[in-house]
Amino acid sequence: MDPASIGTTARIASAVAQPIIARLFVKEGHGAGLVDKPVRVSRLVSWGGEKRTLNGLDMWKIARELVKVAVEANPHEPPVASDEREALADALAATLSALGELDMDDVQAVRLGREGLARSLSAARPNATRDLSADAALLHDSLLDLSCLHILHFFTQRSTFVANAQVTQTRMLDETLRLLDSLVDRFPRPGSADEEFETRYLAYIERKYGKLNIFGLDLSDPGRSRWPLDTAYLNLELASQRDGGSPSANRRRVEEALSDCNRAMLRGIAGSGKTTLMQWLAVSAAQNSFPEELAGLRGRVPFVLPLRALAQDPGLPRPEQFLGATGNALHALQPEHWADRVLSSGRGMVLIDGVDEVSESERPVVRRWLLDLVDLYPRTFFLVTSRPSAVAALWLAEVDFAEFNLLPMNRRDVDRFVHRWHDAVLTTVDEPEERQAVESCRDALRTTLRQKHDLYRLATVPLMCALVCALHRDRLTHLPERRMELYAAALTMLLVRRDKEREIPVPEGLAPTEETQVQLLQRIAYWLIRNGRSEAAQTTAVRIVREKLPAMPHMAPPDRAEDVFQYLLLRSGLLREPSVGMVDFIHRTFQDYLGAKAAVEAEDLDLIAESGRDDQWEDVIRLAVGHARDGERAYLLRKLVELGDQSAEPQLRRRYHLLAAAALEHATTLDPAARAAVTLRASALIPPDTPADAEQLATAGAIVLDLLPGPEELTPEQARATVMTIARIGGEAALEQLVRYQRVADPDVRREIVQSWPYFDARSFAEEVLTGLPMDDLALHLSGPEQVACLDAFDRVPHVSLRGQLLTSDLVDSLARLKVHSLSLTPSSAMPLTLPPLTPLRDLRALAVEACDVIADVSALGESPATDLALHRLTDAADLTFLARAANLRSLTLPPRRVSLSPRSPCPRSRRSTSTAS
C-alpha cells in the first residue's frame, strides 16, 4: 500500500480515536496531583494505578478497536491484510502497555512531545513489530503516533495538570537558576578583574598571531612582509591515523578533522604548516570566530606554548607561569590563579608547538608534563605538534589524543597558494604596469608547476611553495628545480639582491658580502643543531660572531660583533627575535640547510652520520649530502649504510638505510659503488607492509620507483601500501607504475588507486589510470572542480562520492550520462548547499546524504528516483514531508532520533532501517 494512504487512514481514524484512548487512564481526583511528587504516568494508566480497571485482555481490545477504526476508515483499500490485523493489535497493545513503565510524569511527557513519547514507547518494546509485514509495521507506527497525540491531549485536559505544570515549572526555574549560577562561575563576571584581563589578553593574542610572515615579500622590511591571517590562512588537509587506515581514505580538511575531538596530536614535516595552523586556532579563539564545525571551541582562551621557548628554562611551566615562560608582557598583570580558573572551567585551549624541537632525552619529561596537565584539566582542548618521526605512534593515546598527519598540498591547494601569494604581492604595489607584471608572473608560475613535476613536488609544502613563488618573481620566472639550488638562490636573494636593488646603505664601518654573511649564519645554525636548540640567547649569537670575525678582517673588527649581529638580525631576512633577548631562524629549514653546510666544511662527517639516530638531524643529513664534495658524499653515504648494517635494532637499521636512500636525491654526482650500496639496502625495505612504511619509503623519492615490484609478487596489504608509496612520490613515472596495478583483484588496492587522484594532475590521472580501472565495486571520489571537469573521460561510473559544494544541475546531467547507480553527498559547512533537481538521475538506486544539516532545502530529494535513501546529521526541525512524493522509495535510513515519523511525513513501504550515526 502507498505510504501516503496509511497516513490518510490514520488521520481519518483520529476523529474517533479519542474516546478509545481515554479508556486507558483512570479518572482523576482533586488537587494539584502533588502527592506522588511528581505524578507518574504509570499512576495514571488504568492497569497500573491504585484503581486497576483494565487487564491484559482489555488492553488488547482497545488496540483491536484502534486497528478496526483504521481499517474501516478506508474500506476500499485496507492498509493491512485481514489475516494480519490480530497480530497488529497484539503489537500495538504491547507497545501501549509500556505506558505503565515510563519513569516520567505527565508534564515531562507533554514536554517530550508526540514523537518523543512514541519513541520512548517503541524503545521500551523494541520487538513488538518484529513479526509484522512492512505495511503492518507502518500502520502500527502511525497508530502509535496517533495514540500518543491523544494521550498528551488527555494529560493537558486534566485539572491537576495545570497546577502540577506550574509547580514543575517553578522547580525547573529554580534548577535553571542554579545551573546558570554554576555556568556564570565559569566565566569572568562583568567588570571583574578576570574579565578586564581577558579582554586585554585576547586582544594581545589577536595582534601577535593575527598576521603571517609571507616568505619572499621584502623580509628585510617586516612591515611589508606580514599578511592578515584570515586572508592568508589556507585550510589544509589532515589524515587520521585511526585504525592504521590509509591517509588517502582518511583525508579531511582541518575543521572537519578537529570537530569531533578534544585532544589532538598533529604531525607534519618542516614547513608543512603546523605552526600556522596553531596560529589560526589561537586567533580564531581570540576573535571567537570558529566556523560551525568547530563551534565547540568558541569561547575558549588560547595559551600558545612553543616548546623551543619553554626548554630554555629549567622545568616546564605550571599554568600560572604559561605567559611568563613565553615572554608575554601581560604575565605580571594576570589575576591570581586566573589561568587555573580558565583551564578548570573547560574554557582553555592549550596549543603546544614543536615536540621535535626539544632534545630526545627531554621528551619523556614533556610527555609526563602533558599527562599531568590533561589529568588536572580534562575539559581543556589540547593540540600538540611534532615532526613525524620525533615521537612514537600513539605517543599520547593513553589520554585519548587523536593522531593526525598534516598532508602535503594537492594540486588544487598549490594553485590556491600561488594565487594567494601573488594577491599578497598586489597589496604592496600600486602602479598598473607593475600589477599587470605580478599577474603575468602568477599565471606563468601556475603553468610552470603543471609542466615540471619535480618543481611541483617541492611546492606541495607551504614553506617551499612560498620560496618558489618568491624566487620565481625575483629571478623573472627563471627557476632552479632542485631543492639545494632553491635554497642557494634564496640566500642570494635575501642577503644581497634585495638591499642592493632597493639601494639600502650598509652601516658605516661594515662590509658584508654574501659569503661572509653565510659563514656567520652557518656558525649560529650549527651551534643550535649541535646543542639540540631552535633558538639561542642573543648574547650567545654575538659571541659566535665575535669568535669568527678575526678570520674576516674585511667584514668588521671583533669589537663590532654586536653591530654585525644586529645587521644580520635586521637585514638578512633569515633571523628574527622570537622574544626579548632571543634569536632564531625564520624557519627550521634554513637552520638545517646552513648548519649542514657548516658541518661539512668542519669535516664532521662521522658526527653527521652517527646523528642519524636523532630525528632532529634528518634534514641536516640529507642536506649535508647535497653540500658535500664527491669524496665526502660517498664517505657519508657509506657510513650511513655501515651504521645501519651494524645496528641490532631493526627500526634503527631501517632508519639509517632510509636516510641514505632519501639523501640520494641531493647526490648529483656519486661513486657508482656507493650508489649501489645505498640502492641495495633500499631494496631490502621494499615492499612496504603498512601505510606508515609507505609514507617513510616515499621520502626516498623517485629512486624507489625503479625498485618496486609488480602487483603479482605482493600480498594485498603490500600492494595497497605500494600504491600509497607510488602516489606520494608522484610524477609521470609514478603514473606508469600505477597502471600496473589497475587489474588487481583486491578491491582495497584499487580503492587506494582511486583515492590517490588528488596527488596527480587531474586530467592525466583520469585518462591514464582511472579509465582503465574496473569500477563496478568502487566509488569515484570527486572533491574539486578539476576532477569534475574530467568526467568526460569516462563512459560509465556506477558509484560516485561527492565532497564539498560540487553538486550542480550540470553535474547532475553528467552523472546521468554516466548511469550512476549510487551517489554519496558530503557537503561542507562553508556555505549552505542548495540541491538541484535529481530527476535526471534515472539509473540512481542508492542515495546517501552525509550532512543534511548544511543543506538549505532537502525537498529536492522528494523527486529523486532512488529506492534507498540514507540521511545523516539530520536536524530535529528538518521537514520530511517530501518523503510522501518519493514514489520509488523502498528503504529509508535516518539518525536514531528521527526513526519515528508522523503521518505527515510517512515512511516508505519497506521496513524502516535506522543508522547509529547521527
Side-chain angles (χ1 to χ4, degrees), residues 539-707:
T539 52
T540 300
V542 171
R543 176 180 56 77
I544 293 170
V545 170
R546 183 179 296 110
E547 291 172 352
K548 184 66 177 175
L549 282 179
M552 303 176 174
H554 300 293
M555 171 73 167
D559 61 0
R560 298 287 304 275
E562 177 71 38
D563 297 332
V564 172
F565 169 74
Q566 287 299 322
Y567 177 85
L568 293 174
L569 178 63
L570 297 176
R571 304 279 275 277
S572 74
L574 287 168
L575 297 180
R576 64 181 179 181
E577 187 175 28
S579 58
V580 177
M582 303 299 292
V583 63
D584 69 356
F585 283 83
I586 59 167
H587 200 278
R588 178 66 181 264
T589 296
F590 290 102
Q591 175 184 309
D592 290 346
Y593 174 84
L594 289 163
K597 192 170 189 297
V600 170
E601 290 178 0
E603 299 183 350
D604 288 342
L605 301 182
D606 287 332
L607 172 63
I608 295 172
E610 288 163 2
S611 298
R613 63 174 57 247
D614 185 344
D615 61 90
Q616 290 188 323
W617 282 73
E618 284 181 6
D619 268 359
V620 177
I621 291 170
R622 285 196 285 261
L623 294 166
V625 169
H627 285 300
R629 292 168 295 191
D630 286 352
E632 296 167 331
R633 183 177 294 145
Y635 178 86
L636 185 52
L637 288 171
R638 285 198 185 97
K639 187 68 176 179
L640 288 170
V641 167
E642 177 186 328
L643 289 168
D645 291 345
Q646 294 173 352
S647 176
E649 301 176 39
Q651 280 298 103
L652 190 56
R653 180 166 62 250
R654 178 185 180 86
R655 179 181 183 83
Y656 277 118
H657 290 165
L658 263 177
L659 270 174
L664 283 182
E665 173 189 4
H666 302 307
T668 49
T669 59
L670 182 63
D671 173 50
R675 185 180 296 274
V678 174
T679 304
L680 178 64
R681 271 59 173 195
S683 64
L685 305 174
I686 294 171
D689 293 314
T690 66
D693 291 346
E695 296 285 350
Q696 283 188 321
L697 192 59
T699 63
I703 180 180
V704 171
L705 293 175
D706 296 332
L707 305 175

Side-chain angles (χ1 to χ4, degrees), residues 56-354:
L57 179 61
D58 295 322
M59 277 293 300
W60 178 79
K61 288 179 179 178
I62 290 173
R64 190 182 181 206
E65 285 185 52
L66 288 171
V67 173
K68 182 172 181 285
V69 168
V71 171
E72 291 176 351
N74 192 357
H76 302 292
E77 190 180 0
V80 292
S82 57
D83 61 350
E84 198 172 15
R85 294 172 191 170
E86 300 295 326
L88 175 56
D90 287 341
L92 185 59
T95 305
L96 288 173
S97 68
L99 277 166
E101 302 169 11
L102 291 184
D103 186 23
M104 68 177 70
D105 58 32
D106 52 352
V107 177
Q108 290 171 326
V110 172
R111 192 186 311 125
L112 195 61
R114 179 188 74 231
E115 294 183 4
L117 182 59
R119 283 198 296 269
S120 297
L121 295 175
S122 295
R125 296 288 187 274
N127 297 321
T129 61
R130 181 179 54 189
D131 298 323
L132 298 182
S133 68
D135 283 347
L138 288 175
L139 184 56
H140 167 277
D141 289 354
S142 293
L143 289 174
L144 176 61
D145 189 270
L146 170 68
S147 300
C148 288
L149 177 64
H150 287 287
I151 288 168
L152 298 184
H153 178 73
F154 169 80
F155 288 161
T156 61
Q157 295 301 304
R158 297 175 65 246
S159 62
T160 60
F161 176 80
V162 176
N164 194 13
Q166 289 177 339
V167 173
T168 302
Q169 186 178 27
T170 301
R171 291 172 179 160
M172 288 179 59
L173 182 59
D174 182 67
E175 176 66 12
T176 300
L177 289 173
R178 187 186 66 78
L179 292 175
L180 185 59
D181 286 342
S182 174
L183 185 63
V184 167
D185 286 341
R186 287 178 50 194
F187 292 84
R189 298 181 185 278
S192 68
D194 278 12
E195 186 201 34
E196 181 181 348
F197 177 76
E198 278 186 27
T199 300
R200 292 186 64 187
Y201 175 70
L202 293 177
Y204 167 84
I205 291 291
E206 186 177 351
R207 288 193 303 272
K208 181 175 176 62
Y209 299 107
K211 288 191 175 182
L212 280 177
N213 282 316
I214 305 301
F215 184 84
L217 296 187
D218 291 322
L219 279 172
S220 54
D221 182 358
R224 302 188 67 193
S225 65
R226 290 172 64 77
W227 202 26
L229 180 66
D230 56 357
T231 306
Y233 173 68
L234 189 66
N235 181 11
L236 298 177
E237 288 183 306
L238 305 183
S240 169
Q241 293 305 298
R242 197 178 319 168
D243 304 325
S246 162
S248 304
N250 294 332
R251 59 192 303 153
R252 293 183 291 170
R253 293 291 169 183
V254 166
E255 290 91 334
E256 184 184 357
L258 296 181
S259 63
D260 57 356
C261 67
N262 199 43
R263 299 166 196 160
M265 176 82 182
L266 178 63
R267 301 170 190 265
I269 63 172
S272 60
K274 301 185 296 296
T275 302
T276 301
L277 169 58
M278 193 160 284
Q279 213 172 312
W280 177 79
L281 287 170
V283 171
S284 297
Q287 297 175 336
N288 203 23
S289 59
F290 281 110
E292 196 59 39
E293 300 101 318
L294 297 176
L297 295 182
R298 291 173 185 165
R300 303 270 183 159
V301 177
F303 296 90
V304 182
L305 305 176
L307 281 172
R308 61 181 173 274
L310 306 185
Q312 309 302 322
D313 300 319
L316 291 163
R318 300 185 299 276
E320 66 271 18
Q321 299 170 322
F322 281 175
L323 303 191
T326 55
N328 190 318
L330 295 175
H331 164 63
L333 302 179
Q334 62 181 313
E336 189 176 9
H337 306 309
W338 166 75
D340 177 71
R341 283 192 294 278
V342 168
L343 297 171
S344 297
S345 67
R347 291 193 302 122
M349 172 185 287
V350 178
L351 307 172
I352 300 172
D353 191 21

Side-chain angles (χ1 to χ4, degrees), residues 26 30 134 191 231 255 311 413 427 496 519 521 702 728 757 761 786 827 867:
V26 296
H30 300 287
T231 306
E255 290 91 334
D413 290 333
T427 64
V496 181
Q519 286 288 326
L521 290 167
R728 300 310 179 272
W757 197 358
D761 174 74
E786 69 281 356
T867 56

